[in-house]
Amino acid sequence: TSCSGGSDSDDGGGTNGGSGETEAAAAQKDSSAAEEEASEEAATVVSSSNIFLDAFDFNCSSNWTNRDGALGLEAYSGSGSCETSFPGEAGTYQLVLKAQTEFDGKSPYKVSINGTQVASGEYPLSSPLGCDCPHENWRDVCPDRNNDINLGTFSLNPGDIIEFWGDDVYPCGSHGSYTKWHGIEAIRR
């Protein structure tokens, strides 16, 4: 979206606010400002090399929900997947998973492009205490941590389907890790 400055009212021409500018001078100034703004806007679009694919904008199976500000699996729901179509221009992009790690499990994940798996692994733990973290005050002692996971560099085209898959795990008994994530960043290379 774009915002442009200016007044909401039109005084019908003439001088501009008693500044002593003539209509022609004001029009020339407005034209120069508009050209400069258009030039800056074009530069922003051209120089923009990162595309953030927000997890909450993906089309997901029904067992995903907002968990502590990230998209995560519902407890005891097993695995789930989410997909979206790539909105960027054709090119080579490094993909970075924006994961939210937990102390009580290393969530497994997989990422596919157009049905072909391109990356997989497990989240790291958010705390070295792991299952020894006191469950009653884990938010203070072993809080979730945001972690960037490099998925690799790939050729992408507009409309390519990017799919994220995750699974819940319970290495600490009744509580576990729910593959929480914020999205995938595509960095043009």
Side-chain angles (χ1 to χ4, degrees):
T1 61
S2 173
C3 297
S4 59
S7 172
D8 289 338
S9 64
D10 182 6
D11 68 359
T15 61
N16 189 3
S19 68
E21 284 185 312
T22 64
E23 210 173 304
Q28 183 178 6
K29 209 179 215 182
D30 287 346
S31 175
S32 295
E35 287 173 18
E36 186 176 316
E37 184 178 325
S39 175
E40 286 175 11
E41 187 175 322
T44 302
V45 171
V46 171
S47 67
S48 177
S49 58
N50 295 1
I51 298 169
F52 183 71
L53 305 170
D54 191 301
F56 288 99
D57 293 336
F58 277 62
N59 181 20
C60 297
S61 57
S62 62
N63 57 337
W64 291 92
T65 188
N66 186 332
R67 296 190 65 93
D68 302 311
L71 190 63
L73 290 163
E74 293 176 355
Y76 307 108
S77 68
S79 66
S81 61
C82 301
E83 66 179 38
T84 192
S85 78
F86 183 66
E89 297 177 2
T92 302
Y93 293 85
Q94 176 188 1
L95 298 181
V96 178
L97 173 62
K98 302 293 188 174
Q100 185 168 317
T101 61
E102 301 173 70
F103 74 90
D104 53 358
K106 296 180 175 184
S107 295
Y109 68 89
K110 297 177 190 173
V111 175
S112 300
I113 299 173
N114 295 326
T116 301
Q117 183 178 311
V118 296
S120 65
E122 293 180 329
Y123 285 12
L125 291 175
S126 66
S127 168
L129 290 177
C131 294
D132 292 332
C133 180
H135 185 64
E136 59 280 351
N137 62 347
W138 70 268
R139 290 183 194 275
D140 295 325
V141 179
C142 312
D144 289 356
R145 303 242 185 252
N146 291 335
N147 202 323
D148 287 354
I149 298 174
N150 183 5
L151 301 172
T153 302
F154 309 97
S155 292
L156 292 172
N157 293 301
D160 281 353
I161 301 300
I162 298 174
E163 181 181 14
F164 177 82
W165 173 92
D167 199 1
D168 56 359
V169 294
Y170 298 90
C172 301
S174 64
H175 55 91
S177 180
Y178 306 106
T179 320
K180 298 175 190 174
W181 61 300
H182 294 277
I184 296 174
E185 184 172 22
I187 303 165
R188 185 126 190 199
R189 297 294 180 203

